[in-house]
Amino acid sequence: MCTNNLDTTNATRERAVSGTPDGQGRAPGATLPMITEREAMPSVLPVAEDPGAPRPAPGAPSVLGTPPAPGAPPGAGHPTGHTTGPTAGHTAGPTTGPTTGPAPGDYRAAFNVARLAMAVVDREGRVLDANPALGALLGTDPALLITRSAADLADLREDPRTWREYRDVLDGRAARLRRTRRLRRADGHALWAEITVEPAPDSCSLLLSMADISDQRDLQGRLRHLQMHDPVTRLPNRSLFFERMTRALEAATYDHGGTGRIGLCYLDLDGFKAVNDTLGHRVGDRLLGAVAKRLTDCAAPDGHLVARLGGDEFALLVRNSTGTEQLCDLARTVLAALQEPFDVGGQRLSVSASIGVVERPAAGTHTTWLMQAADTTLYWAKEDGKARWTLFDPERNAHRMTRQALSSTLRPAVERDEFVLDYQPLVGLGDGVVRGVEALVRWDHPQFGRLSPNRFIPLAEENGAIVPLGRWVLRTACRQARAWQLAEPPHPLVVSVNVAVRQVWDSDLVADVGAILAETGLPPQLLQLELTESAVMGSTGRPLQALQALSDMGVAIAIDDFGTGYSNLAYLSRLPVSTLKLDGSFVQGFRAEEHPNPADETIVEALVQLAHRLGLTVTAECVESAEQAERLRRIGCDTGQGWFYSRPVPPDRIQAMINCPAPD
């Protein structure tokens, strides 16, 4: 138990000591006094204190003891009078009794000579005593620290959390506080110190210690700078950029004095890879350094952050932006600065950049979203022609997000049977008989409803989902065609299925077709595969071999949208093609009988005659009126397809068309 009263007998009794005092007059082995003595004997050293702080009585001993007066016997002035030598009346020499631990005076000596800066603090947070190392650390006389607030010395009040934890240690609710603080010496110089506050053993006081870690912090700072900066351009790297961007978002959200907005210019150099490949990476690195210098000059007037995110990608962060116009002006400035040629090692190099610009309120914005938006917008700038800046468009981004959502769910949708087939009839222009049908896939999407092929087929071709989807379409169409055949229609019905060029390259199309025909029992003569002109023309190697194998199998091959691709007529005689499907753009000129387009009719007539001379049949697409159908019949087209006959319909509607008698 701690007490503030000293035993009068202990306080007044004489103490005899032996030994030689040290340079400050202290007896060897002097130790820290008991807590009752420290609290009863305030320091005699002069202090710089607050006006309301209690003053020690003149001549009162220090908490850890007062040096003896000149000429005083060894040990005089020590509050306990304990010594390490024999007491009066005893002779020195070996003892036979049990030995004790270090004499109490040892702790006092250790406290004063310790290199670690220390102070004894009471439960109110006042300094009771300080060792010389603490005075040297803070650049002041340790005596001036007595009765000072330890929290002020160690800068523990500024941080609310630190202050709360410090009070917990003072009140005994916590065992230790350890913090790193930047302190200022009496001469104005700053230093970094590791502060520790913990209770002294078997005492009501606490021990405050400070370790100078300035050198360590400086080393850490240099290492962090190397870690967080790009070695080529000396700019902040990706890690530091994200760290600063996170801080900027947080500050903009809660700082009521700012605009509450944030902007980002994300740029990529156009054609930089060619510089590395032709001139070498050393020249490329010097060019990057020159680009970084110009970007820094553009950002310097307003203090914007410039960073190299990797490769030839840079970013400019605008904190507290004033709106999109500020970001657009910055992007224009950057583009203009980069258009000037660079002098790199005696070579004049010219580069351009594509920039994605994003500006929005900081509230509710996350670094991930901001970078995704900037990256998307940068892609738009490159897609739109490079050497330009593009502003983020929420509507365009929503369309992109929809595309991404569709692309990522295409393969699972095939497994979940979310696709259906509609069929559009191919009608003989001479007799009006349904000669075949084209299978057209639809996606019954659970979120977006029924989607037409142009919404997802290009995505399927991009990500490879066209292979399993095409296999499903082929199997489903052949199974349906077999069902129509078994119903014994008046005329044989050919089912036409579109095939993407990627199905030829990424799968064994010949094996797939053979297996599906064997599985469904459909004769090969009732299956026609449609490929686009760009996919068929110029086919060599594996594609040509696949087409020839399918033709040898008995499957018909048709060129879809003929007239819009390469139109290399020389290939028609070399390919195993049986049908040409004229693109609907040729038929559009046939809409009005009173205003015919002679050129369109001449072209179509020439194509039909050429196809017939090569032994091919011709199908006209997008027939929408009786006038068009009649003119195409007169020209010699074999079959027509379009809304004049029927829109794409479910299989049962096709069954009714098949059973209808041909018109007279």
Side-chain angles (χ1 to χ4, degrees), residues 98-388:
T99 60
T100 61
D106 292 341
Y107 299 104
R108 172 66 193 185
F111 180 78
N112 281 309
V113 301
R115 294 186 178 181
L116 178 63
M118 294 182 290
V120 179
V121 181
D122 65 15
R123 292 290 176 174
E124 298 301 322
R126 294 171 301 183
V127 175
L128 299 177
D129 207 347
N131 70 348
L134 181 60
L137 181 69
L138 300 179
T140 186
D141 187 339
L144 299 178
L145 303 177
I146 309 302
T147 72
R148 288 281 302 276
S149 168
D152 293 339
L153 294 179
D155 190 28
L156 302 178
R157 296 182 189 272
E158 297 301 322
D159 180 9
R161 178 183 175 186
T162 299
W163 174 248
R164 183 174 61 252
E165 294 180 2
Y166 172 62
R167 296 301 308 176
D168 289 342
V169 175
L170 292 181
D171 296 338
R173 294 190 298 269
R176 171 183 292 186
L177 170 69
R178 176 170 290 174
R179 285 289 186 275
T180 299
R181 281 288 179 269
R182 185 174 176 83
L183 306 179
R184 190 162 296 278
R185 291 166 45 91
D187 56 10
H189 290 90
L191 61 95
W192 285 96
E194 185 177 76
I195 311 297
T196 303
V197 182
E198 55 188 340
D202 301 326
S203 172
C204 289
S205 59
L206 300 98
L207 187 64
L208 167 70
S209 61
M210 297 184 185
D212 187 353
I213 59 170
S214 299
D215 292 342
Q216 178 182 343
R217 290 282 299 199
D218 289 343
L219 177 59
Q220 290 176 347
R222 290 193 295 271
L223 293 176
R224 174 176 168 78
H225 186 275
L226 293 175
Q227 180 184 8
M228 306 299 277
H229 286 75
D230 172 51
V232 175
T233 63
R234 309 297 183 185
L235 293 176
N237 61 13
R238 191 179 191 89
S239 299
L240 183 56
F241 176 77
F242 272 90
E243 181 180 300
R244 298 277 181 85
M245 182 164 57
T246 301
R247 291 181 187 172
L249 286 171
E250 294 174 352
T253 301
Y254 299 106
D255 184 7
H256 299 291
T259 63
R261 303 184 68 85
I262 193 167
L264 178 62
C265 288
Y266 185 26
L267 67 92
D268 178 272
L269 300 182
D270 302 323
F272 177 75
K273 184 176 183 298
V275 176
N276 273 341
D277 293 344
T278 58
L279 302 178
H281 287 272
R282 177 173 297 180
V283 174
D285 288 348
R286 295 182 64 180
L287 177 59
L288 290 175
V291 169
K293 175 64 168 58
R294 292 194 185 178
L295 294 179
T296 302
D297 293 341
C298 293
D302 296 313
H304 305 317
L305 174 67
V306 183
R308 182 191 179 198
L309 303 188
D312 57 349
E313 297 178 358
F314 297 84
L316 291 86
L317 182 66
V318 178
R319 292 157 286 201
N320 287 316
S321 64
T322 58
T324 57
E325 189 59 33
Q326 180 187 13
L327 270 297
C328 295
D329 288 343
L330 178 60
R332 295 187 191 99
T333 302
V334 169
L335 281 181
L338 295 182
Q339 285 176 355
E340 295 294 328
F342 292 87
D343 186 358
V344 179
Q347 302 184 70
R348 289 178 63 83
L349 302 177
S350 296
V351 296
S352 62
S354 301
I355 306 178
V357 179
V358 182
E359 199 279 341
R360 60 168 289 116
T365 300
H366 190 269
T367 55
T368 302
W369 182 94
L370 195 61
M371 285 305 300
Q372 286 178 344
D375 185 64
T376 299
T377 313
L378 172 60
Y379 172 78
W380 294 344
K382 286 189 171 294
E383 190 179 44
D384 294 342
K386 300 181 180 180
R388 67 191 63 221

Side-chain angles (χ1 to χ4, degrees), residues 47 71 151 203 229 252 294 319 356 384 418 424 446 466 493 504 620 655:
V47 297
S203 172
H229 286 75
R294 292 194 185 178
R319 292 157 286 201
D384 294 342
E418 293 180 2
Q424 190 172 31
I466 192 65
L493 191 69
V504 181
Q655 186 67 51

